[in-house]
């Protein structure tokens, strides 16, 4: 019998902690869809992570970069891991190897331009909306990339500055349940499919992400209070290289 967990891992990036490079008691934070210059969100997040001495993974979108490319440079110089998260964030691209390849290569090129390192390529790719397909599995080894997973999804995309502590509670519960984890928080939230009212400057909406640095700080402190430690993303990346690919 195919278990639900296995099916989820086949169709999405949501994988069991035992199958990825996270050891017992370890946590890795990832930040998606940015960088985000609105309300200085990514810049303030980088400050918080520096103060807390935590390095994470930034899954950046190519189209988010041109507004403030310097942020990509800061992400790398602060010791975080840059992950390719497509150029346009089109979820349906995973159903076409050609479209997906374009998305991935355009994002790498945008990152390389921001860093002024022409041949820069990321080790990891995280598909838009976390969908995984057989075409994606075929393409990634050809591009010498690996899938960048999560071990739980806390639906921070639906949170706002009014209720983000719920995301912190939910994520901490997942960490306790699994003995650690790789979690995601969106420092930018791109428009949902079919979303009619999308205003990332509306402070009361979930599209506004100015609260994300506070949410990250709260989660880090509460995780440490529970005895968890934050793994360096480059250590994680080295372990993943040995795993070759998650199953
Ligand atoms: Zn995303």
């Amino acid at each position: 019998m195919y278990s639900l967990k296995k099916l989820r891992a086949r169709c999405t990036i949501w994988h069991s902690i035992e199958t990825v490079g996270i050891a017992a008691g370890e946590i890795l934070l990832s930040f998606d869809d940015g960088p985000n210059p609105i309300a200085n969100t990514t810049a303030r997040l980088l400050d918080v992570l520096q103060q807390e001495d935590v390095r994470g993974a930034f899954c950046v979108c190519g189209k988010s970069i041109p507004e403030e490319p310097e942020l990509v440079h800061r992400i790398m110089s602060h010791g975080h891991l840059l992950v390719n998260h497509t150029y346009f964030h089109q979820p349906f691209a995973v159903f076409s190897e050609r479209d997906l390849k374009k998305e991935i290569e355009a994002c790498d090129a945008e990152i390389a331009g921001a860093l002024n390192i022409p041949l820069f390529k990321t080790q990891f790719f995280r598909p838009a909306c976390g969908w995984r397909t057989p075409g994606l599995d075929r393409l990634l080894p050809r591009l010498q990339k690996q899938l960048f997973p999560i071990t739980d999804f806390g639906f921070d995309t639906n949170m706002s500055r009014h209720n983000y502590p719920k995301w912190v509670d939910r994520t901490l519960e997942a960490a306790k349940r699994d003995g650690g984890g790789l979690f995601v928080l969106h420092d930018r939230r791109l428009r949902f499919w079919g979303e009619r009212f999308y205003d990332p400057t509306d402070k009361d909406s979930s599209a506004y992400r100015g609260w994300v640095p506070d949410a990250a700080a709260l989660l880090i402190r509460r995780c440490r209070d529970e005895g968890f430690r934050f793994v360096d993303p480059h250590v994680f990346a080295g372990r993943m290289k040995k795993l070759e690919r998650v199953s």
Side-chain angles (χ1 to χ4, degrees):
M1 253 281 282
Y2 217 55
S3 77
L4 263 182
K5 271 190 181 177
K6 273 194 178 162
L7 186 63
R8 189 172 65 194
R10 276 263 158 249
C11 305
T12 76
I13 60 167
W14 189 337
H15 291 213
S16 305
I17 190 167
E18 307 82 51
T19 62
V20 300
I22 301 281
E26 285 181 348
I27 288 178
L28 178 59
L29 296 181
S30 59
F31 304 98
D32 278 20
D33 296 9
N36 186 2
I38 297 170
N40 283 325
T41 300
T42 302
R44 289 187 296 113
L45 176 60
L46 288 167
D47 291 344
V48 162
L49 295 173
Q50 194 170 39
Q51 281 156 21
E52 297 292 342
D53 197 21
V54 169
R55 252 79 49 204
F58 282 77
C59 306
V60 298
C61 286
K63 74 169 181 179
S64 298
I65 292 172
E67 290 158 63
E68 207 173 323
E70 170 57 23
L71 284 169
V72 175
H73 196 264
R74 259 187 89 187
I75 289 168
M76 191 170 84
S77 65
H78 282 215
H80 304 291
L81 181 72
L82 281 161
V83 173
N84 183 317
H85 188 40
T86 74
Y87 191 90
F88 287 113
H89 206 267
Q90 295 290 348
F92 293 105
V94 286
F95 296 104
S96 156
E97 279 182 58
R98 205 180 60 172
D99 291 349
L100 194 56
K101 189 166 177 280
K102 269 194 211 162
E103 283 272 350
I104 293 173
E105 288 177 343
C107 182
D108 264 4
E110 199 66 48
I111 296 170
L115 294 174
N116 203 16
I117 305 174
L119 295 178
F120 183 87
K121 292 205 184 327
T122 62
Q123 178 182 340
F124 292 103
F125 172 69
R126 176 176 276 175
C129 301
W131 294 350
R132 180 184 181 193
T133 56
L136 173 66
D137 283 353
R138 281 192 296 273
L139 181 63
L140 289 185
R142 276 178 21 219
L143 299 178
Q144 295 179 305
K145 289 200 194 300
Q146 291 181 287
L147 195 68
F148 198 74
I150 54 169
T151 62
D152 192 82
F153 186 56
F155 295 93
D156 73 291
T157 40
N158 301 346
M159 298 286 169
S160 71
R161 67 189 177 117
H162 301 294
N163 60 2
Y164 72 78
K166 273 191 200 163
W167 171 80
V168 174
D169 290 344
R170 209 180 275 170
T171 304
L172 192 60
E173 281 309 308
K176 287 188 199 168
R177 180 194 66 212
D178 297 336
L182 201 173
F183 304 117
V184 57
L185 187 54
H186 289 68
D187 55 329
R188 186 170 198 144
R189 211 266 284 148
L190 298 169
R191 188 189 291 266
F192 288 141
W193 194 259
E195 186 177 21
R196 286 186 66 196
F197 303 104
Y198 170 81
D199 179 1
T201 64
D202 172 2
K203 290 190 173 176
D204 295 322
S205 79
S206 64
Y208 175 76
R209 310 305 287 177
W211 49 272
V212 164
D214 296 334
L218 184 60
L219 181 73
I220 290 166
R221 284 169 206 157
R222 290 194 56 199
C223 285
R224 282 186 169 145
D225 287 347
E226 294 288 340
F228 290 106
R229 62 197 182 281
F230 288 84
V231 62
D232 187 288
H234 297 284
V235 170
F236 169 83
R239 291 177 191 159
M240 288 294 282
K241 223 168 214 165
K242 285 185 196 150
L243 284 174
E244 278 186 18
R245 85 167 210 205
V246 286
S247 55

